[in-house]
Amino acid sequence: MKRIATCFVVLGLTASAAMAEVAPGSIQFEEGAVAQSLTGTSGNPAEGRTIMTTKSVGNCVSCHAATDYADVPFAGEVGPLLDGAGSRWDEAQLRGLVVNPKMTFEGTVMPAFYKVDGFNRPGDAFTGKAAPADLPPLLSAQQVEDVVAYLMTLKDE
Amino acid sequence: MNIKNTLTTKLCTAAVLTAFAVAAPAFADEDAELVINGEIEIVTKTTAPAHLEGHLTEIMSGWRFRSDDTQAMEMDDFDNPGMLGAEEGLAQFDTVMGSEGKACADCHDGVESLASVRPTYPKWNDAKEAVYTIQMQINDCLTERMGAEAEKYDSKKMLNFEAVLASVARGTPMNVAIDGPAQSTWEQGKEMYYTRFGQLDLSCANCHEQNYGNMIRADHLSQGQTNGFPVYRIKDNKLTGAHSRFKGCIRDTRAETFAPGSPEFVALELYVASRGNGLSVEGPSVRN
C-alpha cells in the first residue's frame, strides 16, 4: 500500500515536469514575443553566457559581440551588438527572439533556436546528411531560458 | 661614433618595426591590388555586371578579404602551392591516357590554346543540350575521345586539370553567358542562391551578399566569388573545387547538402560565376 502511494507520487512529479516544458510546436507568439517560460524554471544567467559563447552550443558569439564577453576572442559582426539588449527588450520579447527571431524580424539572417520543422533540406547537424525524423532544436528549452536570463542582465549603463 | 652607430641601429630597428606594423595588420587589406609575378595584372574589384542591379554595385575577389600573408602567397608562383597542381595538370595534359593512345595534347595545340575555357565556363553544350562545367567537358574528352575512365568530380586529377586551365587564363575577365540556351539553368542557379537551406535557414546571399566584409567569428566573409577556383586552401593543404566548397557551405547551414557534379551545383556554379563577370580569372588562387 505504501509502495503504491510512493509510485503515484513519483508519477505525479514526472507528469508535472513534462507538462511544464513547452514543445517547439506549441509556442504561443504575440507580436514576436513569448510570454510563457518554456520550462517554468528560472534561467541561469551564468549558464546562458557559456551557451552563447561556446561554438558547439549556442555559438551566438559567431555573429554577435557584447562588451560583457569581450574576453571571448573573435566575436562576429553579422548581428547587432548585444550591449543593452536587456534594456531594449523585455523578457518575453527576448524569449521570442531566441526561439524564432523571424516572428519579430521577418527576413532576418538569424536562425531560430527552438524550432524543429519547416526547414528546407534539414540536415543532421553538420554532417551534410539528412536530418533524423526527430530533429532536436538548436537549444533545449532550459538552454533558451538560460540565454534569456543572461540577455536580461545586459542592461544599459 | 658609437653614439652614431647606436642611433642608426635604433632608427633601423624603428624602421623595420614600422615596416612590420604596416605589412602585417590583423586582417585583410581590402584596397590592395593584385599583380602576379610582377606582370599579370588581376582585376580583383570592379563594377558589378548589369544583372546584379539592386543587389551589388561592386564585385570583389575573395583575395581582397584574405590576410596580407595569404594575399602575398598568390603574388608569386613560387610561393603559390596551387601552382604545383597546375604543373601536374600540365604533365597530365601531355600524358597518353586510355585505349585510344591519345593525350590531350594530341588534339589541343598546347594548353595555352585553351585560355578561353576558364573565363567562359560553365557554358551551354549544343551537342549534349546541357550546361557543361569544365570537369564535365574533360570527362567527355576522357571517355569519348581517349577511351579512358571518367574522373570523379573534384578529384585531385580533375583539379590539376582545372588549375592548369585557369593558370593560362589568368588576367582575362570572367565572362560566362547567362542568356540563350543557358538561361533556364542560370535562373535555377539564381533561385538556389537566394534559397535558405538547413536548420540554420541560411542562403548564399545571407552571408555573401548581405554580409560580405563582416566577420563571422574569425572568418572574414567574402562575396563568395568563384574567379579564383580552383583554390588552394591553406587549412586543407590542397586544391579545392567550387562544387566541394558549395557542398561545405550548404552542409554548414545544417542542411542535407548536394553532391559535387549534381545538376543543382552545375546551375549554382553558372550563376555564381556570372556574379563575377568582369573579375579576372585568378586560379589557382590561395585562400585560408
PDB file of all heavy atoms in Angstrom, chain A residues 129-150:
ATOM      1  N   LYS A 129      24.344  15.164 -44.044  1.00  0.00           N
ATOM      2  CA  LYS A 129      23.341  14.114 -44.306  1.00  0.00           C
ATOM      3  C   LYS A 129      21.957  14.586 -43.857  1.00  0.00           C
ATOM      4  O   LYS A 129      21.843  15.556 -43.100  1.00  0.00           O
ATOM      5  CB  LYS A 129      23.728  12.849 -43.554  1.00  0.00           C
ATOM      6  CG  LYS A 129      25.014  12.227 -44.073  1.00  0.00           C
ATOM      7  CD  LYS A 129      25.312  10.926 -43.338  1.00  0.00           C
ATOM      8  CE  LYS A 129      26.396  10.123 -44.025  1.00  0.00           C
ATOM      9  NZ  LYS A 129      27.642  10.862 -44.285  1.00  0.00           N
ATOM     10  N   ALA A 130      20.920  13.874 -44.327  1.00  0.00           N
ATOM     11  CA  ALA A 130      19.548  14.267 -44.000  1.00  0.00           C
ATOM     12  C   ALA A 130      19.308  14.190 -42.493  1.00  0.00           C
ATOM     13  O   ALA A 130      19.899  13.370 -41.785  1.00  0.00           O
ATOM     14  CB  ALA A 130      18.563  13.365 -44.733  1.00  0.00           C
ATOM     15  N   ALA A 131      18.413  15.053 -42.024  1.00  0.00           N
ATOM     16  CA  ALA A 131      18.093  15.106 -40.595  1.00  0.00           C
ATOM     17  C   ALA A 131      17.328  13.859 -40.177  1.00  0.00           C
ATOM     18  O   ALA A 131      16.588  13.288 -40.975  1.00  0.00           O
ATOM     19  CB  ALA A 131      17.255  16.343 -40.314  1.00  0.00           C
ATOM     20  N   PRO A 132      17.471  13.437 -38.914  1.00  0.00           N
ATOM     21  CA  PRO A 132      16.624  12.359 -38.400  1.00  0.00           C
ATOM     22  C   PRO A 132      15.194  12.873 -38.261  1.00  0.00           C
ATOM     23  O   PRO A 132      14.966  14.088 -38.249  1.00  0.00           O
ATOM     24  CB  PRO A 132      17.237  12.060 -37.029  1.00  0.00           C
ATOM     25  CG  PRO A 132      17.910  13.330 -36.607  1.00  0.00           C
ATOM     26  CD  PRO A 132      18.389  13.974 -37.889  1.00  0.00           C
ATOM     27  N   ALA A 133      14.245  11.937 -38.149  1.00  0.00           N
ATOM     28  CA  ALA A 133      12.827  12.322 -38.061  1.00  0.00           C
ATOM     29  C   ALA A 133      12.582  13.202 -36.839  1.00  0.00           C
ATOM     30  O   ALA A 133      11.782  14.131 -36.887  1.00  0.00           O
ATOM     31  CB  ALA A 133      11.960  11.075 -38.001  1.00  0.00           C
ATOM     32  N   ASP A 134      13.295  12.912 -35.747  1.00  0.00           N
ATOM     33  CA  ASP A 134      13.088  13.685 -34.512  1.00  0.00           C
ATOM     34  C   ASP A 134      14.211  14.719 -34.336  1.00  0.00           C
ATOM     35  O   ASP A 134      14.964  14.689 -33.377  1.00  0.00           O
ATOM     36  CB  ASP A 134      13.026  12.758 -33.297  1.00  0.00           C
ATOM     37  CG  ASP A 134      14.268  11.878 -33.194  1.00  0.00           C
ATOM     38  OD1 ASP A 134      14.986  11.752 -34.207  1.00  0.00           O
ATOM     39  OD2 ASP A 134      14.534  11.347 -32.102  1.00  0.00           O
ATOM     40  N   LEU A 135      14.308  15.615 -35.308  1.00  0.00           N
ATOM     41  CA  LEU A 135      15.345  16.656 -35.283  1.00  0.00           C
ATOM     42  C   LEU A 135      15.228  17.491 -34.007  1.00  0.00           C
ATOM     43  O   LEU A 135      14.192  18.091 -33.746  1.00  0.00           O
ATOM     44  CB  LEU A 135      15.172  17.556 -36.513  1.00  0.00           C
ATOM     45  CG  LEU A 135      16.146  18.732 -36.659  1.00  0.00           C
ATOM     46  CD1 LEU A 135      17.541  18.234 -37.008  1.00  0.00           C
ATOM     47  CD2 LEU A 135      15.646  19.704 -37.730  1.00  0.00           C
ATOM     48  N   PRO A 136      16.278  17.548 -33.194  1.00  0.00           N
ATOM     49  CA  PRO A 136      16.183  18.376 -31.981  1.00  0.00           C
ATOM     50  C   PRO A 136      16.349  19.858 -32.317  1.00  0.00           C
ATOM     51  O   PRO A 136      16.971  20.199 -33.321  1.00  0.00           O
ATOM     52  CB  PRO A 136      17.349  17.874 -31.120  1.00  0.00           C
ATOM     53  CG  PRO A 136      18.312  17.255 -32.071  1.00  0.00           C
ATOM     54  CD  PRO A 136      17.546  16.842 -33.305  1.00  0.00           C
ATOM     55  N   PRO A 137      15.792  20.740 -31.479  1.00  0.00           N
ATOM     56  CA  PRO A 137      16.036  22.170 -31.688  1.00  0.00           C
ATOM     57  C   PRO A 137      17.505  22.493 -31.423  1.00  0.00           C
ATOM     58  O   PRO A 137      18.215  21.691 -30.823  1.00  0.00           O
ATOM     59  CB  PRO A 137      15.131  22.849 -30.661  1.00  0.00           C
ATOM     60  CG  PRO A 137      14.890  21.825 -29.607  1.00  0.00           C
ATOM     61  CD  PRO A 137      14.998  20.479 -30.273  1.00  0.00           C
ATOM     62  N   LEU A 138      17.972  23.669 -31.870  1.00  0.00           N
ATOM     63  CA  LEU A 138      19.388  24.033 -31.691  1.00  0.00           C
ATOM     64  C   LEU A 138      19.722  24.154 -30.202  1.00  0.00           C
ATOM     65  O   LEU A 138      20.825  23.816 -29.776  1.00  0.00           O
ATOM     66  CB  LEU A 138      19.696  25.342 -32.416  1.00  0.00           C
ATOM     67  CG  LEU A 138      19.560  25.288 -33.937  1.00  0.00           C
ATOM     68  CD1 LEU A 138      19.737  26.682 -34.540  1.00  0.00           C
ATOM     69  CD2 LEU A 138      20.576  24.322 -34.554  1.00  0.00           C
ATOM     70  N   LEU A 139      18.770  24.660 -29.423  1.00  0.00           N
ATOM     71  CA  LEU A 139      18.949  24.747 -27.967  1.00  0.00           C
ATOM     72  C   LEU A 139      17.763  24.054 -27.294  1.00  0.00           C
ATOM     73  O   LEU A 139      16.641  24.075 -27.819  1.00  0.00           O
ATOM     74  CB  LEU A 139      19.000  26.210 -27.513  1.00  0.00           C
ATOM     75  CG  LEU A 139      20.187  27.064 -27.961  1.00  0.00           C
ATOM     76  CD1 LEU A 139      20.036  28.490 -27.422  1.00  0.00           C
ATOM     77  CD2 LEU A 139      21.520  26.461 -27.495  1.00  0.00           C
ATOM     78  N   SER A 140      18.000  23.479 -26.115  1.00  0.00           N
ATOM     79  CA  SER A 140      16.905  22.878 -25.346  1.00  0.00           C
ATOM     80  C   SER A 140      16.083  24.004 -24.718  1.00  0.00           C
ATOM     81  O   SER A 140      16.512  25.166 -24.675  1.00  0.00           O
ATOM     82  CB  SER A 140      17.464  21.972 -24.253  1.00  0.00           C
ATOM     83  OG  SER A 140      18.062  22.767 -23.239  1.00  0.00           O
ATOM     84  N   ALA A 141      14.901  23.633 -24.207  1.00  0.00           N
ATOM     85  CA  ALA A 141      14.020  24.625 -23.579  1.00  0.00           C
ATOM     86  C   ALA A 141      14.754  25.341 -22.446  1.00  0.00           C
ATOM     87  O   ALA A 141      14.695  26.576 -22.326  1.00  0.00           O
ATOM     88  CB  ALA A 141      12.756  23.941 -23.060  1.00  0.00           C
ATOM     89  N   GLN A 142      15.462  24.591 -21.609  1.00  0.00           N
ATOM     90  CA  GLN A 142      16.134  25.229 -20.476  1.00  0.00           C
ATOM     91  C   GLN A 142      17.301  26.103 -20.949  1.00  0.00           C
ATOM     92  O   GLN A 142      17.559  27.152 -20.378  1.00  0.00           O
ATOM     93  CB  GLN A 142      16.608  24.182 -19.455  1.00  0.00           C
ATOM     94  CG  GLN A 142      17.058  24.797 -18.126  1.00  0.00           C
ATOM     95  CD  GLN A 142      15.964  25.674 -17.481  1.00  0.00           C
ATOM     96  OE1 GLN A 142      14.801  25.289 -17.410  1.00  0.00           O
ATOM     97  NE2 GLN A 142      16.337  26.891 -17.048  1.00  0.00           N
ATOM     98  N   GLN A 143      17.989  25.656 -22.011  1.00  0.00           N
ATOM     99  CA  GLN A 143      19.077  26.481 -22.548  1.00  0.00           C
ATOM    100  C   GLN A 143      18.540  27.826 -23.056  1.00  0.00           C
ATOM    101  O   GLN A 143      19.184  28.863 -22.880  1.00  0.00           O
ATOM    102  CB  GLN A 143      19.813  25.733 -23.670  1.00  0.00           C
ATOM    103  CG  GLN A 143      20.737  24.635 -23.138  1.00  0.00           C
ATOM    104  CD  GLN A 143      21.345  23.806 -24.257  1.00  0.00           C
ATOM    105  OE1 GLN A 143      20.690  23.514 -25.260  1.00  0.00           O
ATOM    106  NE2 GLN A 143      22.602  23.410 -24.086  1.00  0.00           N
ATOM    107  N   VAL A 144      17.359  27.801 -23.684  1.00  0.00           N
ATOM    108  CA  VAL A 144      16.744  29.058 -24.138  1.00  0.00           C
ATOM    109  C   VAL A 144      16.499  29.955 -22.928  1.00  0.00           C
ATOM    110  O   VAL A 144      16.822  31.153 -22.951  1.00  0.00           O
ATOM    111  CB  VAL A 144      15.414  28.790 -24.893  1.00  0.00           C
ATOM    112  CG1 VAL A 144      14.669  30.108 -25.151  1.00  0.00           C
ATOM    113  CG2 VAL A 144      15.675  28.065 -26.201  1.00  0.00           C
ATOM    114  N   GLU A 145      15.962  29.375 -21.858  1.00  0.00           N
ATOM    115  CA  GLU A 145      15.695  30.168 -20.644  1.00  0.00           C
ATOM    116  C   GLU A 145      16.987  30.740 -20.061  1.00  0.00           C
ATOM    117  O   GLU A 145      17.020  31.874 -19.590  1.00  0.00           O
ATOM    118  CB  GLU A 145      14.955  29.312 -19.597  1.00  0.00           C
ATOM    119  CG  GLU A 145      13.524  28.936 -20.002  1.00  0.00           C
ATOM    120  CD  GLU A 145      12.655  30.163 -20.315  1.00  0.00           C
ATOM    121  OE1 GLU A 145      12.767  31.182 -19.604  1.00  0.00           O
ATOM    122  OE2 GLU A 145      11.885  30.104 -21.299  1.00  0.00           O
ATOM    123  N   ASP A 146      18.047  29.950 -20.091  1.00  0.00           N
ATOM    124  CA  ASP A 146      19.335  30.428 -19.576  1.00  0.00           C
ATOM    125  C   ASP A 146      19.852  31.612 -20.411  1.00  0.00           C
ATOM    126  O   ASP A 146      20.343  32.600 -19.867  1.00  0.00           O
ATOM    127  CB  ASP A 146      20.377  29.300 -19.596  1.00  0.00           C
ATOM    128  CG  ASP A 146      20.054  28.189 -18.601  1.00  0.00           C
ATOM    129  OD1 ASP A 146      19.219  28.419 -17.690  1.00  0.00           O
ATOM    130  OD2 ASP A 146      20.623  27.082 -18.738  1.00  0.00           O
ATOM    131  N   VAL A 147      19.742  31.495 -21.728  1.00  0.00           N
ATOM    132  CA  VAL A 147      20.202  32.569 -22.615  1.00  0.00           C
ATOM    133  C   VAL A 147      19.374  33.837 -22.377  1.00  0.00           C
ATOM    134  O   VAL A 147      19.910  34.943 -22.280  1.00  0.00           O
ATOM    135  CB  VAL A 147      20.131  32.119 -24.102  1.00  0.00           C
ATOM    136  CG1 VAL A 147      20.287  33.308 -25.043  1.00  0.00           C
ATOM    137  CG2 VAL A 147      21.193  31.064 -24.390  1.00  0.00           C
ATOM    138  N   VAL A 148      18.059  33.672 -22.243  1.00  0.00           N
ATOM    139  CA  VAL A 148      17.183  34.830 -21.983  1.00  0.00           C
ATOM    140  C   VAL A 148      17.574  35.487 -20.662  1.00  0.00           C
ATOM    141  O   VAL A 148      17.680  36.722 -20.572  1.00  0.00           O
ATOM    142  CB  VAL A 148      15.692  34.396 -21.984  1.00  0.00           C
ATOM    143  CG1 VAL A 148      14.794  35.533 -21.486  1.00  0.00           C
ATOM    144  CG2 VAL A 148      15.269  33.951 -23.381  1.00  0.00           C
ATOM    145  N   ALA A 149      17.829  34.673 -19.643  1.00  0.00           N
ATOM    146  CA  ALA A 149      18.219  35.219 -18.332  1.00  0.00           C
ATOM    147  C   ALA A 149      19.517  36.009 -18.441  1.00  0.00           C
ATOM    148  O   ALA A 149      19.662  37.088 -17.849  1.00  0.00           O
ATOM    149  CB  ALA A 149      18.365  34.081 -17.321  1.00  0.00           C
ATOM    150  N   TYR A 150      20.463  35.503 -19.242  1.00  0.00           N
ATOM    151  CA  TYR A 150      21.725  36.228 -19.428  1.00  0.00           C
ATOM    152  C   TYR A 150      21.493  37.541 -20.190  1.00  0.00           C
ATOM    153  O   TYR A 150      21.994  38.596 -19.796  1.00  0.00           O
ATOM    154  CB  TYR A 150      22.751  35.356 -20.172  1.00  0.00           C
ATOM    155  CG  TYR A 150      24.008  36.116 -20.527  1.00  0.00           C
ATOM    156  CD1 TYR A 150      24.831  36.632 -19.539  1.00  0.00           C
ATOM    157  CD2 TYR A 150      24.349  36.337 -21.858  1.00  0.00           C
ATOM    158  CE1 TYR A 150      25.975  37.359 -19.859  1.00  0.00           C
ATOM    159  CE2 TYR A 150      25.492  37.046 -22.187  1.00  0.00           C
ATOM    160  CZ  TYR A 150      26.300  37.560 -21.186  1.00  0.00           C
ATOM    161  OH  TYR A 150      27.423  38.277 -21.500  1.00  0.00           O
TER     162      TYR A 150
END
